[in-house]
Amino acid sequence: MNLITNMLKRVLDIDFTIRLSLGTGIFWAAVAALLAVFNQALLFLGLPLPAGLDYGHLRPIFTTVLLFGSLLCLFSGISYHIVRKIAGEIKLAPLAFGAFKLHQLAVLLTIVTILIGYNKGREYGEFSWIADALFSLGTLLMLVALVAAIKVSGKRAPETDVLLVAVAGLFMIHLVGNFNLPYGPLNSTPIFTGVHDQATQEVYRVGLLMYLIVLPVLAVLYHFVPAYYGVSLYSEDLSRFVLLASILVVPFAGAAGLVHSAAPVGLQTLGMFAGFALAVATIGGALNVHYSISRSGKRFQSDATGLAFRWAVAFLIALAIVRGLSGIRFVQAAIGYTWLDPKNIAEDALGYGILVMVVGALVVVRRNGGRQPGGLVQRAVFLAVVGILLMIVANVAHGLIQNAVRSAMTDQAELVHTDWTGVLFGGRFYSVAEPDGVSLYMLSLRSVYFAGLLAHALGILLLALEFALQALKPAGGGDYKEPVLHGETVAIAPAGAAH
């Protein structure tokens, strides 16, 4: 009886759910980092693995753990922290706890069903219909808890608006992208077929990018960066512009994934323009963070946490530019089959997404316990940032090289490379007489990507260790204070004053 009473008391305290969400999200982040490295190694090692541990099974497990296990869990915990700090106590804390349990149950069920062979066969939509229902209900409970807290207090901020749109958008896009008709305990069938089904899935993919990766990252940055640096958000109007674009443009931007398909050409063209517009809006949202610092009228010397946030903004802008340009029809024709894959939103989640969320979780645990940063953060952030940089450079450079190799012609107007392997690993540093899978991979730019992935994964693992050490450390016994990172005032007019 005492156990039940104590559990009820914990559930009524939002702190318990915040700690649980952040701790679980950190665990999933470490698992995702390890799976990312192992999956990439499977592409060239050719290990004789038992059924269920091959790339075809582990890739969907990796994306499920990364997106719905780690990112969403960390974002949930940070969201409750942000809303409580701005709006006050979250009265419906049991709903937040229920949302956490339902999300975790959906992720665990999905991992099990993938391993035993039940899979809808859709990228980022691997849940069975039962797991889909659990996930949707959990997301709805999370949304209700957040909206109720803000509504009761009447207090809002740009970051609370962004996180509410992110959660509401995730709820809607998950329903749209995964609405199936069940015909068995784990089996279901989509309501659309052909191009209509493909269009639905592309809208779902873009929706996940915006509502599970981009907007959550912006919400975290909008809250932590101004507080951490002691500045104001550059422009509230710009944050509202990003939200408006995410609501209006996402359904059309999905059509960019239909280019060179059987879809009407007009729809494809609309998709290209919408995709480019969404990329511009994303860049605007990221620049809002950058300008908050660069146009604040102060000179800063960032610590490791601040550098993680600032580099994440740079990576967000870089990938938005790449995705916006790669949506153009002739660009898709050139690089759509290469390592420079604009549809691979897992690169965003594994890069700046997980970096921002894990570092944000560290700030929360330091705030709540009055603790100071540990010594691992600087090394971890350095490894993670260098890793992401290498991964982006390798993918972009290798994609362009692959297109050049694929297009190479002889004097007789014949293709130089008729073997697809030559295109896949084009631009090798050194050629060997009888190449095998390992030498083909390691002698190409894939080795640079793999080195970056290893560094980034190690950085995430070190950040996870730092989080565990911080969480287990006794509270500091005082109120947490943000570090003083700025020095003298410089001759720059604070642009945020006009907004």
Side-chain angles (χ1 to χ4, degrees):
M1 189 66 182
N2 289 335
L3 181 63
I4 297 176
T5 303
N6 291 334
M7 189 61 188
L8 288 174
K9 288 181 179 179
R10 287 186 173 186
V11 169
L12 291 171
D13 184 4
I14 194 63
D15 264 330
F16 177 67
T17 301
I18 291 175
R19 291 195 301 270
L20 204 57
S21 297
L22 296 183
T24 306
I26 290 291
F27 168 76
W28 285 129
V31 173
L34 293 173
L35 283 175
V37 174
F38 188 63
N39 276 349
Q40 195 64 208
L42 287 179
L43 295 179
F44 63 89
L45 289 180
L47 299 175
L49 297 172
L53 295 180
D54 56 353
Y55 185 85
H57 285 82
L58 291 184
R59 167 69 186 189
I61 290 177
F62 158 66
T63 56
T64 298
V65 167
L66 175 64
L67 293 171
F68 304 104
S70 181
L71 275 188
L72 180 59
C73 209
L74 290 170
F75 175 56
S76 299
I78 295 173
S79 294
Y80 299 135
H81 170 80
I82 291 174
V83 169
R84 184 181 62 174
K85 194 169 184 65
I86 292 174
E89 196 58 43
I90 297 178
K91 300 296 185 182
L92 299 181
L95 293 187
F97 178 77
F100 166 80
K101 299 295 288 186
L102 289 170
H103 283 155
Q104 295 313 301
L105 186 58
V107 170
L108 291 173
L109 178 59
T110 300
I111 293 173
V112 172
T113 53
I114 290 174
L115 288 174
I116 63 178
Y118 286 91
N119 188 320
K120 292 205 300 281
R122 298 190 170 184
E123 196 171 18
Y124 314 116
E126 317 290 348
F127 290 17
S128 65
W129 69 269
I130 297 177
D132 280 330
L134 294 173
F135 182 87
S136 294
L137 179 57
T139 308
L140 182 60
L141 292 180
M142 177 183 174
L143 180 62
V144 171
L146 292 171
V147 169
I150 295 172
K151 186 72 173 176
V152 169
S153 68
K155 298 177 182 178
R156 292 170 47 194
E159 57 265 41
T160 60
D161 291 344
V162 174
L163 67 87
L164 285 180
V165 171
V167 178
L170 178 61
F171 173 72
M172 292 302 300
I173 208 67
H174 188 265
L175 285 179
V176 170
N178 295 281
F179 189 81
N180 282 25
L181 300 176
Y183 60 89
L186 296 173
N187 301 98
S188 59
T189 185
I191 59 175
F192 299 115
T193 58
V195 174
H196 295 90
D197 188 56
Q198 184 185 358
T200 301
Q201 292 310 300
E202 291 303 328
V203 171
Y204 173 63
R205 186 198 307 270
V206 175
L208 282 185
L209 174 64
M210 288 303 298
Y211 301 128
L212 187 53
I213 303 174
V214 173
L215 289 186
V217 164
L218 289 179
V220 173
L221 291 173
Y222 284 177
H223 178 73
F224 286 120
V225 170
Y228 206 73
Y229 283 91
V231 297
S232 299
L233 186 65
Y234 176 71
S235 172
E236 293 187 13
D237 290 339
L238 193 52
S239 70
R240 285 190 285 268
F241 167 72
V242 176
L243 294 184
L244 186 62
S246 70
I247 295 171
L248 298 179
V249 181
V250 162
F252 303 102
L258 301 178
V259 173
H260 300 297
S261 73
V265 175
L267 181 60
Q268 297 179 29
T269 304
L270 176 62
M272 288 189 297
F273 280 104
F276 189 82
L278 196 61
V280 171
T282 300
I283 294 169
L287 286 176
N288 201 12
V289 180
H290 173 69
Y291 288 155
S292 299
I293 299 173
S294 65
R295 300 188 180 184
S296 65
K298 300 176 182 177
R299 195 186 302 276
F300 295 94
Q301 182 64 46
S302 297
D303 63 357
T305 300
L307 285 174
F309 289 142
R310 297 183 74 169
W311 273 103
V313 170
F315 294 140
L316 174 56
I317 292 173
L319 288 177
I321 292 173
V322 170
R323 184 166 282 109
L325 294 177
S326 61
I328 301 172
R329 182 177 281 108
F330 73 86
V331 179
Q332 287 201 47
I335 56 94
Y337 55 89
T338 69
W339 296 105
L340 180 56
D341 182 8
K343 295 183 179 181
N344 187 10
I345 64 174
E347 291 293 333
D348 295 70
L350 185 61
Y352 64 82
I354 203 71
L355 178 62
V356 167
M357 292 301 169
V358 171
V359 173
L362 275 172
V363 175
V364 172
V365 79
R366 294 204 300 257
R367 276 182 172 181
N368 291 345
R371 305 175 179 95
Q372 295 303 314
L376 290 176
V377 177
Q378 186 173 358
R379 298 178 181 87
V381 169
F382 174 78
L383 287 170
V385 167
V386 170
I388 298 172
L389 187 61
L390 289 175
M391 291 160 63
I392 293 176
V393 170
N395 277 346
V396 173
H398 209 169
L400 297 176
I401 290 172
Q402 283 178 288
N403 176 57
V405 171
R406 191 264 313 174
S407 306
M409 306 288 285
T410 65
D411 295 336
Q412 289 75 36
E414 297 177 349
L415 289 174
V416 172
H417 296 277
T418 56
D419 182 2
W420 187 251
T421 302
V423 177
L424 190 63
F425 297 104
R428 293 196 295 272
F429 301 125
Y430 183 77
S431 297
V432 294
E434 296 181 2
D436 56 11
V438 176
S439 61
L440 284 172
Y441 189 97
M442 287 301 177
L443 293 175
S444 72
L445 279 172
R446 286 299 86 201
S447 62
V448 177
Y449 177 87
F450 191 63
L453 182 60
L454 282 174
H456 180 50
L458 181 57
I460 295 302
L461 291 174
L462 288 177
L463 287 172
L465 177 59
E466 173 67 18
F467 179 91
L469 294 175
Q470 290 282 347
L472 295 174
K473 186 187 300 183
D479 293 333
Y480 172 78
K481 294 182 180 180
E482 307 290 0
V484 178
L485 301 176
H486 61 81
E488 73 277 9
T489 301
V490 295
I492 302 175
H499 298 270

